[in-house]
């Protein structure tokens, strides 16, 4: 028994020791440690909460102040932004309130936990004490269980505390976020307030400006009002003075009326008197008319006399003018020689042979120089056209000659030069830049129109070709081949028919070509049709058209017939435009057969032309017209007071230099033949001394003094060469 009790005692003792150690453990960990941390946390949270509440209150206060300071505007963007922010703030506030409530609940919970724990502690302490007492009395194994339970509860409490701490931490974060949001909203609020302040300042500025403008307007209105009043006053004054004048006038008129009444009586009596006169008027009028008629007849007779006198004077003046013109032409020389140098074209190519050998004297447009074999030969003519000269420049120089054909003169223009030197270009030209032929006809049309009030003028043209001394009409055409009906009837003729030149049977000594077609032209269209026909005919029967055209002379013969509507004087003028065959010396290159014949014929006719011109210029008694078909045909256009122009064409190329020099020598010799006028003779002598000729003349017979042609027709003095001026009615001088 005693041993059992002792065992129990030992057990209790052990239990007591264990309890004591537990107590010591509990005691060594200050019993209030967990509680103190929680309390501290709780206190911090409470403080933080208080601070937040205070901040919230102060923010609300500031917000209200700001709201009060913002001017009320309802529709602007800022007010909308404001209300949006306000709504956000109220939502945030609600959230904050919710969180504050949660915080206070948590606080309450913590308090409860704390209290619960305190109670438990007390209860535990009490039990420990009880245990101690019980142990002291009967130490039991239930002690162990109690201490175990306490451990477990203590752990649970710790977990609760951690939970409470984490929740507290979460709440603090939330509060931080809310505070940040609040700060942002404050900043936004500040921005809106700043913008609205700016807007208000602008509004005030505008108002001030408006006020100023209103003030200015009022001032201007005032000025206008003053002016208006002043004007009204002035007008009123003026009207009053005018009224006064009108009144005065009215009084004057009244007085006049009174004084006029006797005058009216006088007038009435005068009127009655006039009435009587009018009754007698027809008789008086008849007398006056017959008297006036007499006077008019007398005046008309006088005018007629004066007119007759004027007409006589006019005719005398006309004759004097023509005499002067003839004298002028005689002094200038009826035969003139021009030279045209064609430009270098692409077809000329390049190379040593193709260098330019022609140069000009810039101060003298009648001189040109040719460089050849290291020497420079100088040639003097009436005018030299440089390569840059245009068709219109050439025409300007020959225009006066062409006009004189309307006055009844015969005119010849020849283009002379080697093949390829530009003869056809100068005479015919290109379709878009015509030469002398077309321009001459156009010019004549213009002159005809201008003179139509005084003259009835008509222009006819013929086209002929001289090839191998045979004359051929270029306007004759096979009726079967002519499409144009009017042309078909007009020109029905064999184009290859040879024509003869005959003396006119009327004994006038004039030459004519029977059967040579003459076409009346009135417009550029007509000319073009005629030219085209001539071109087609010239090309027919020849395979190489260009070669053929360079070996034949082409003639465009324009006749202008005019009748003066006042005097009845009839004039006939002829214009011959000749594109001569190439002047190159083919005969020297050993040509044979038909080619040699062609060359001989060309040489013959050009030689004859040169001889005729020389004889004419030196006023020889004998002119060898009959030496060629060309000169024979043109006889009446070369002699008498006819006018001749030789356009010598040359190429500027080195390869053509021999032919160029030949052509220029021919030109110069033609020109330097004695004219009869002293001035010209001196000039020609000067030319000869300046000239340095090396080469032979192309047509060697052209020399001064050689004029003994057999069968020549001495028409230099004949009536055939005289200008045709025939009076169709008696002219009183
Ligand atoms: P020709 O009738 O003397 O044989 P062309 O009139 O047929 O010579 O001229 C030979 C070439 O030189 C042609 O192609 C022509 O267009 C050209 N030509 C001649 N003179 C001129 C000029 N003044 N301006 C421009 N081209 C020209
Ligand atoms: Mg030609």
């Amino acid at each position: 028994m005693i041993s059992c009790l002792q065992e129990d005692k030992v057990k209790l003792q052990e239990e007591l020791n264990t309890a004591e150690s537990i107590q010591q453990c509990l005691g060594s960990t200050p019993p209030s440690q967990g509680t103190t941390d929680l309390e501290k946390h709780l206190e911090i949270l409470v403080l933080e909460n208080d601070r937040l509440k205070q901040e919230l209150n102060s923010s609300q206060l500031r917000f209200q102040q700001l709201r009060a300071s913002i001017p009320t505007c309802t529709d602007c963007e800022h007010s909308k932004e404001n209300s949006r922010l306000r709504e956000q703030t109220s939502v945030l506030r609600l959230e904050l309130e919710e969180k504050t409530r949660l915080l206070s609940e948590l606080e309450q919970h913590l308090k409860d936990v704390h209290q619960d724990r305190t109670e438990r502690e007390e209860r535990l302490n009490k039990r420990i004490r009880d245990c101690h007492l019980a142990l002291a009395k009967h130490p039991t194994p239930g002690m162990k269980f109690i201490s175990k339970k306490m451990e477990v509860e203590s752990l649970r409490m710790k977990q609760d505390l951690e939970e409470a701490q984490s929740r507290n931490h979460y709440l603090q974060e939330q509060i931080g976020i809310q505070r940040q949001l609040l700060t942002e909203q404050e900043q936004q609020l500040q921005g809106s307030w700043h913008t609205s302040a700016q807007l208000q300042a602008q509004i005030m500025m505008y108002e001030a400006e408006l006020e100023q403008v209103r003030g200015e307007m009022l001032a201007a209105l005032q000025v206008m009002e003053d002016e208006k009043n002043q004007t009204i006053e002035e007008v009123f004054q003026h009207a009053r003075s005018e009224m006064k004048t009108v009144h005065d006038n009215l009084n004057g008129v009244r007085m006049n009326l009174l004084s006029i009444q006797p005058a009216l009586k006088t007038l009435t009596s005068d009127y009655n008197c006039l009435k009587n006169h009018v009754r007698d008027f027809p008789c008086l009028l008849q007398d006056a008319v017959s008297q006036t008629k007499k006077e008019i007849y007398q005046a008309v007779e006088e005018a007629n006399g004066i007119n007759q006198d004027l007409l006589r004077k006019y005719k005398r003046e006309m004759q004097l003018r023509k005499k002067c013109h003839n004298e002028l032409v005689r002094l200038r020389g009826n035969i003139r020689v021009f030279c045209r140098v064609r430009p270098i074209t692409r077809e000329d190519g390049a190379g040593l042979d193709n260098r330019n050998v022609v140069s000009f004297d810039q101060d003298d447009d009648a001189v040109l120089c040719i460089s050849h074999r290291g020497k420079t030969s100088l040639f003097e003519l009436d005018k030299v056209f440089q390569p840059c000269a245009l068709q219109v420049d050439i025409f300007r120089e020959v225009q006066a000659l062409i006009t004189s054909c309307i006055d009844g003169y015969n005119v010849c223009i020849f283009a002379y030069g080697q093949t390829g030197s530009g003869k056809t270009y100068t005479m015919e030209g290109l379709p878009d830049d015509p030469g002398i032929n077309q321009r001459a006809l156009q010019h004549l049309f213009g002159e005809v129109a201008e003179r139509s009030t005084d003259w009835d003028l008509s222009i006819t043209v013929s086209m002929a070709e001289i090839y191998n001394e045979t004359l051929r009409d270029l306007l004759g055409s096979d009726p079967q081949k002519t499409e144009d009906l009017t042309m078909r009837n007009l020109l029905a003729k064999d184009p290859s028919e040879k024509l003869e030149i005959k003396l006119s049977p009327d004994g006038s000594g004039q030459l004519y070509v029977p059967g040579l077609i003459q076409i009346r032209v009135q417009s550029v269209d007509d000319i073009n049709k005629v030219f085209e026909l001539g071109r087609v005919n010239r090309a027919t029967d020849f395979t190489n058209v260009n070669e053929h055209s360079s070996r034949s002379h082409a003639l465009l013969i324009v006749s202008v017939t005019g009748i003066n509507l006042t005097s009845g004087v009839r004039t006939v003028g002829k214009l011959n435009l000749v594109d001569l065959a190439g002047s190159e010396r083919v005969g020297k290159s050993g040509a044979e057969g038909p080619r040699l014949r062609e060359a001989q014929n060309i040489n013959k006719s050009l030689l004859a032309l040169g001889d005729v011109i020389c004889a004419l210029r030196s006023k020889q008694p004998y002119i060898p017209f009959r030496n060629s078909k060309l000169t024979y045909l043109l006889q009446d256009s070369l002699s008498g007071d006819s006018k001749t122009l030789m356009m010598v064409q040359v190429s500027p190329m080195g390869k053509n230099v021999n032919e160029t020099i030949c052509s220029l020598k021919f030109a110069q010799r033609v020109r330097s033949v004695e004219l009869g006028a002293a001035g010209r003779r001196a000039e020609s002598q000067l030319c000869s001394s300046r000239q340095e000729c090396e080469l032979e003349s192309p047509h060697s017979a052209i020399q001064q003094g050689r004029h003994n042609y057999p069968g020549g027709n001495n028409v230099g003095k004949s009536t055939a060469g005289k200008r045709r001026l025939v009076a169709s009615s008696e002219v009183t001088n």
Side-chain angles (χ1 to χ4, degrees):
M1 186 70 180
I2 291 167
S3 63
C4 264
L5 276 171
Q6 272 185 340
E7 273 178 32
D8 278 348
K9 191 185 165 185
V10 170
K11 277 181 189 173
L12 272 173
Q13 193 66 44
E14 280 173 0
E15 276 186 10
L16 189 65
N17 287 344
T18 317
E20 268 177 354
S21 67
I22 290 167
Q23 202 179 7
Q24 271 174 359
C25 275
L26 284 171
S28 65
T29 50
S32 62
Q33 189 198 4
T35 317
T36 315
D37 280 349
L38 275 173
E39 275 172 352
K40 273 182 190 166
H41 267 292
L42 198 62
E43 270 168 24
I44 290 163
L45 281 173
V46 168
L47 279 172
E48 185 71 13
N49 205 13
D50 285 345
R51 195 179 60 73
L52 283 172
K53 268 182 188 169
Q54 272 176 4
E55 263 185 33
L56 187 68
N57 285 337
S58 69
S59 297
Q60 274 178 340
L61 205 66
R62 268 179 69 191
F63 180 69
Q64 275 167 1
Q65 279 172 353
L66 282 170
R67 199 164 55 178
S69 67
I70 291 168
T72 48
C73 57
T74 49
D75 287 336
C76 74
E77 241 180 78
H78 300 295
S79 63
K80 281 177 191 164
E81 179 72 12
N82 233 353
S83 54
R84 196 177 56 75
L85 286 171
R86 225 174 280 154
E87 276 168 20
Q88 273 186 3
T89 318
S90 62
V91 171
L92 284 172
R93 197 184 300 145
L94 283 174
E95 274 182 21
L96 201 69
E97 275 169 11
E98 176 66 17
K99 277 165 192 170
T100 320
R101 194 180 56 72
L102 278 170
L103 204 69
S104 59
E105 273 178 18
L106 200 69
E107 226 176 306
Q108 190 57 45
H109 180 67
L110 269 171
K111 270 181 190 169
D112 290 349
V113 167
H114 182 68
Q115 201 179 343
D116 189 37
R117 202 179 149 172
T118 321
E119 279 173 6
R120 272 190 200 176
E121 246 179 40
E122 275 173 9
R123 248 185 284 139
L124 276 170
N125 282 340
K126 197 175 166 242
R127 278 186 72 184
I128 288 165
R129 274 194 307 274
D130 289 348
C131 278
H132 271 293
L133 287 175
L135 269 173
K137 284 178 192 172
H138 314 282
T140 60
M143 287 285 284
K144 273 184 188 174
F145 171 76
I146 291 165
S147 51
K148 208 82 179 167
K149 199 177 173 188
M150 274 176 70
E151 266 177 41
V152 170
E153 279 182 358
S154 169
L155 271 173
R156 203 184 299 144
M157 275 171 72
K158 262 184 190 168
Q159 277 174 355
D160 284 349
L161 192 63
E162 273 168 12
E163 254 176 50
Q165 270 178 337
S166 71
R167 278 185 72 184
N168 204 356
H169 185 67
Y170 167 74
L171 283 172
Q172 263 183 332
E173 275 177 1
Q174 286 294 318
I175 286 164
I177 290 163
Q178 295 304 325
R179 198 178 296 145
Q180 204 175 341
L181 275 173
L182 202 67
T183 320
E184 278 171 14
Q185 282 167 6
E186 257 179 20
Q187 279 172 356
Q188 279 179 356
L189 214 60
Q190 200 75 20
S192 336
W193 186 77
H194 183 66
T195 316
S196 72
Q198 273 180 342
L199 285 171
Q200 253 185 341
Q202 249 180 359
I203 288 166
M204 275 164 75
M205 200 177 74
Y206 288 147
E207 273 177 355
E209 272 177 23
L210 209 66
E211 200 59 39
Q212 193 185 344
V213 170
R214 195 179 292 148
E216 282 170 9
M217 250 172 66
L218 282 174
L221 268 172
Q222 189 58 43
V223 170
M224 277 163 71
E225 186 73 27
D226 291 350
E227 278 176 4
K228 187 186 83 183
N229 288 340
Q230 200 178 340
T231 315
I232 289 171
E233 186 65 28
E234 278 169 10
V235 168
F236 186 68
Q237 292 294 340
H238 185 69
R240 191 182 284 166
S241 71
E242 275 197 349
M243 271 287 272
K244 200 164 170 274
T245 322
V246 168
H247 271 294
D248 292 349
N249 283 347
L250 205 67
N251 287 336
V253 168
R254 252 185 225 136
M255 298 294 287
N256 279 347
L257 260 172
L258 289 175
S259 62
I260 276 170
Q261 263 168 356
L264 198 70
K265 273 181 193 155
T266 323
L267 274 174
T268 318
S269 70
D270 281 355
Y271 171 73
N272 290 331
C273 188
L274 269 173
K275 235 179 179 175
N276 294 334
H277 276 303
V278 166
R279 228 173 279 136
D280 304 335
F281 184 70
C283 301
L284 285 172
L285 191 69
Q286 233 169 5
D287 290 349
V289 165
S290 58
Q291 177 66 26
T292 314
K293 262 185 187 168
K294 263 185 209 163
E295 280 170 14
I296 287 172
Y297 285 138
Q298 212 173 337
V300 167
E301 265 170 35
E302 272 171 29
N304 262 347
I306 293 168
N307 258 357
Q308 290 293 330
D309 194 36
L310 280 175
L311 192 64
R312 206 178 59 245
K313 281 180 184 166
Y314 166 73
K315 283 173 183 167
R316 208 174 55 216
E317 282 304 313
M318 278 281 284
Q319 278 168 357
L320 203 66
R321 191 175 75 82
K322 278 170 187 165
K323 225 169 148 185
C324 288
H325 180 81
N326 287 348
E327 188 59 21
L328 182 74
V329 170
R330 194 185 63 75
L331 288 172
R332 288 175 78 184
N334 270 3
I335 299 165
R336 309 186 75 203
V337 184
F338 290 176
C339 174
R340 186 180 191 182
V341 183
R342 76 154 167 86
I344 296 172
T345 60
R346 212 180 311 143
E347 288 80 49
D348 290 322
L352 198 64
D353 238 13
N354 291 334
R355 73 201 184 285
N356 182 10
V357 294
V358 182
S359 57
F360 306 92
D361 183 340
Q362 293 310 323
D363 301 320
D364 190 350
D365 67 353
V367 168
L368 92 163
C369 306
I370 307 291
S371 311
H372 182 53
R373 293 187 191 153
K375 281 186 185 173
T376 301
S377 307
L378 188 138
F379 295 92
E380 190 168 339
L381 305 146
D382 289 311
K383 184 156 179 81
V384 175
F385 292 101
Q386 297 190 19
C388 57
L390 305 173
Q391 300 283 57
V392 66
D393 299 329
I394 310 293
F395 186 71
R396 205 177 295 126
E397 282 296 321
V398 302
Q399 190 172 321
L401 266 185
I402 286 155
T403 312
S404 68
C405 125
I406 297 192
D407 293 329
Y409 289 94
N410 285 344
V411 178
C412 266
I413 300 176
F414 297 98
Y416 177 96
Q418 74 174 114
T419 301
S421 59
K423 296 184 294 298
T424 309
Y425 185 87
T426 296
M427 299 310 288
E428 282 182 23
L430 306 174
D432 54 346
D433 190 14
I436 292 174
N437 291 5
Q438 184 164 335
R439 283 175 200 268
L441 281 161
Q442 278 189 34
H443 177 69
L444 289 178
F445 290 148
E447 287 290 318
V448 166
E450 228 170 71
R451 297 181 190 200
S452 61
T453 46
D454 302 322
W455 289 86
D456 177 16
L457 292 155
S458 75
I459 302 172
T460 55
V461 294
S462 302
M463 278 179 88
E465 177 189 63
I466 299 173
Y467 174 65
N468 272 343
E469 285 300 291
T470 308
L471 182 64
R472 196 162 76 100
D473 193 342
L474 289 180
L475 296 184
S477 63
D478 188 340
Q480 302 307 314
K481 290 182 189 166
T482 311
E483 281 172 21
D484 191 326
L485 279 177
T486 48
M487 285 278 194
R488 184 188 289 182
N489 296 331
L490 195 69
L491 315 170
K493 178 183 171 192
D494 178 9
S496 61
E497 184 188 318
K498 288 179 188 173
L499 298 174
E500 291 302 324
I501 306 162
K502 292 190 174 163
L503 256 175
S504 181
D506 61 6
S508 63
Q510 288 187 37
L511 293 169
Y512 83 110
V513 181
L516 182 69
I517 289 171
Q518 279 190 305
I519 300 175
R520 185 166 180 187
V521 285
Q522 283 170 308
S523 65
V524 177
D525 254 11
D526 293 349
I527 309 171
N528 287 337
K529 269 187 196 165
V530 169
F531 285 178
E532 186 50 35
L533 182 64
R535 218 168 284 139
V536 170
N537 274 342
R538 209 173 175 203
T540 328
D541 300 337
F542 296 98
T543 40
N544 192 334
V545 178
N546 283 342
E547 256 188 37
H548 169 74
S549 65
S550 75
R551 286 171 209 151
S552 63
H553 309 299
L555 293 99
L556 173 68
I557 303 158
V558 182
S559 301
V560 185
T561 318
I563 297 168
N564 188 299
L565 299 174
T566 326
S567 62
V569 169
R570 191 165 159 268
T571 61
V572 182
K574 214 190 252 182
L575 170 66
N576 298 280
L577 302 165
V578 190
D579 182 357
L580 291 171
S583 64
E584 56 272 14
R585 293 161 300 166
V586 187
K588 291 197 171 179
S589 60
E592 286 176 356
R595 199 71 190 85
L596 181 64
R597 199 173 145 236
E598 271 176 4
Q600 282 169 343
N601 279 320
I602 293 166
N603 277 357
K604 183 182 158 193
S605 56
L606 293 179
L607 183 73
L609 181 65
D611 285 351
V612 164
I613 293 174
C614 284
L616 285 168
R617 273 182 75 115
S618 56
K619 300 215 184 302
Q620 294 289 317
Y622 177 79
I623 313 290
F625 286 115
R626 287 203 175 194
N627 278 4
S628 80
K629 272 265 161 43
L630 180 70
T631 48
Y632 192 33
L633 179 68
L634 298 175
Q635 178 175 324
D636 56 354
S637 297
L638 288 168
S639 52
D641 53 5
S642 302
K643 298 166 190 186
T644 303
L645 171 73
M646 179 77 80
M647 180 70 79
V648 178
Q649 294 282 151
V650 295
S651 149
M653 310 299 295
K655 66 180 175 192
N656 302 127
V657 70
N658 288 340
E659 289 299 338
T660 301
I661 289 175
C662 280
S663 296
L664 288 170
K665 277 184 174 177
F666 172 77
Q668 196 152 24
R669 283 187 183 149
V670 164
R671 185 179 171 267
S672 63
V673 172
E674 193 175 329
L675 271 173
R680 295 291 287 204
R681 195 180 302 131
E683 192 188 331
S684 74
Q685 279 162 1
L686 178 77
C687 305
S688 305
S689 63
R690 281 168 71 179
Q691 188 182 337
E692 286 178 45
C693 296
E694 284 184 314
L695 295 164
E696 272 180 39
S697 159
H699 321 293
S700 53
I702 309 172
Q703 286 164 4
Q704 291 182 38
R706 186 195 157 192
H707 298 298
N708 50 343
Y709 299 92
N713 188 11
N714 185 0
V715 286
K717 287 179 180 173
S718 79
T719 48
K722 292 260 165 73
R723 187 174 147 247
R724 280 132 199 82
L725 189 69
V726 190
S728 64
S729 64
E730 200 68 29
V731 180
T732 44
N733 274 323

